Amino acid sequence: QLTDAFNNMFERLEKSFESERQFTSDASHELRTPTAVILAQAEYGLELADSEEEYRESLEVIKRQASRMNDLINSLLFFTRLDQGTEPVNMELTNLSELTQAICIDQQMIKCNNISLSANIESGITTETDRNLYTRLLNNLCSNAYKYGKADGSITVTLRRDGGCVLLSVADDGIGIARENLEKIWNRFYQVEPSRNEDAGEGGIGLGLSMVKQISSLLGGEISVESTLGQG
């Protein structure tokens, strides 16, 4: 029994170390591209740009890539705090109906690719949750729906009681996910395909849904996905 216990422990440690190595490799890969672009544009601006317009174009590219790096670094720091248990969790009685409605109103202003967002929210739902973490969770789900939604399509946010539980769902009519990729979407840096709308939400770095899963667990919830390729 002791041998089995040690073997199980070593197996878990090995998986943990491998996960950390993969995470570090993925993070380095994600940072390499914007860094290379920034250096190239800086060199171009210093050596080849001859007009104010060319200087401005170089600075715009540098700004976009630096913003992408900033988003990635902030997300990695957030993950670190979650992993280490240092991210404060302030559970308090919350009117989830009102909070969800407010988040949806903010998300409706994005209007990415003329995608409309509607809310089907049951009134009077209250529960213990962390308002900030719940807000981040729902914003990430909506952001993902915008990224992979079809032009002139729709997103539907639903909040309702389901027996003794509260059910929150975000549905879209976008590109969908193949069956073999359904569980992979929760992995850090995984993307079904490169985001076509990187200006929406997390910037297409493949961390949004992984963050959603971790926040859901932290708040005592469960998360799942249903999808048909090409249907949303």
Side-chain angles (χ1 to χ4, degrees):
Q1 291 178 349
L2 183 61
T3 302
D4 289 341
F6 271 113
N7 286 339
N8 289 335
M9 179 184 68
F10 289 141
E11 184 178 352
R12 291 196 301 271
L13 285 172
E14 184 175 358
K15 289 181 179 179
S16 177
F17 291 146
E18 179 59 33
S19 177
E20 289 299 319
R21 284 194 294 269
Q22 185 64 46
F23 183 61
T24 302
S25 175
D26 290 339
S28 300
H29 176 75
E30 290 294 328
L31 286 168
R32 186 181 299 120
T33 299
T35 301
V37 173
I38 288 173
L39 289 172
Q41 287 296 319
E43 291 176 0
Y44 174 81
L46 289 171
E47 299 176 7
L48 300 175
D50 295 323
S51 66
E52 181 179 342
E53 182 179 356
E54 290 180 341
Y55 281 121
R56 181 175 295 276
E57 288 177 357
S58 293
L59 289 174
E60 288 290 342
V61 173
I62 291 172
K63 180 181 178 181
R64 285 198 304 272
Q65 296 300 324
S67 178
R68 179 178 174 83
M69 291 177 68
N70 186 64
D71 289 343
L72 174 58
I73 291 169
N74 286 336
S75 294
L76 294 178
L77 289 174
F78 181 75
F79 270 119
T80 300
R81 293 196 298 270
L82 289 179
D83 290 339
Q84 295 179 348
T86 57
E87 175 68 22
V89 181
N90 302 310
M91 303 293 283
E92 57 182 347
L93 189 62
T94 301
N95 188 320
L96 211 60
S97 300
E98 293 181 356
L99 178 57
T100 304
Q101 184 68 54
I103 296 169
C104 287
I105 290 173
D106 290 341
Q107 286 290 328
Q108 286 168 344
M109 297 179 183
I110 294 178
K111 300 183 184 301
C112 177
N113 278 346
N114 202 35
I115 297 173
S116 63
L117 185 146
S118 60
N120 182 16
I121 299 172
E122 185 177 334
S123 63
I125 297 178
T126 59
T127 189
E128 294 276 341
T129 194
D130 182 301
R131 295 177 61 90
N132 290 332
L133 290 177
Y134 177 83
T135 298
R136 188 156 194 166
L137 177 147
L138 183 50
N139 279 336
N140 281 359
L141 287 174
C142 291
S143 171
N144 192 75
Y146 274 118
K147 288 174 189 174
Y148 298 105
K150 66 180 181 181
D152 302 315
S154 63
I155 299 169
T156 303
V157 177
T158 302
L159 180 75
R160 62 180 175 85
R161 295 179 179 87
D162 183 21
C165 301
V166 177
L167 178 66
L168 169 72
S169 70
V170 178
D172 65 69
D173 54 3
I175 65 174
I177 308 164
R179 182 182 298 274
E180 63 270 18
N181 294 328
L182 284 176
E183 291 307 314
K184 297 177 184 178
I185 66 171
W186 309 117
N187 298 336
R188 297 177 188 181
F189 296 108
Y190 179 80
Q191 296 185 76
V192 176
E193 69 173 36
S195 171
R196 296 163 299 175
N197 302 309
E198 291 188 352
D199 291 335
E202 288 294 311
I205 56 179
L207 290 175
L209 291 182
S210 180
M211 192 177 295
V212 163
K213 183 175 183 180
Q214 198 155 350
I215 292 174
S216 177
S217 176
L218 198 61
L219 297 181
E222 298 179 0
I223 194 161
S224 61
V225 57
E226 298 176 5
S227 183
T228 301
L229 191 62
Q231 297 182 20

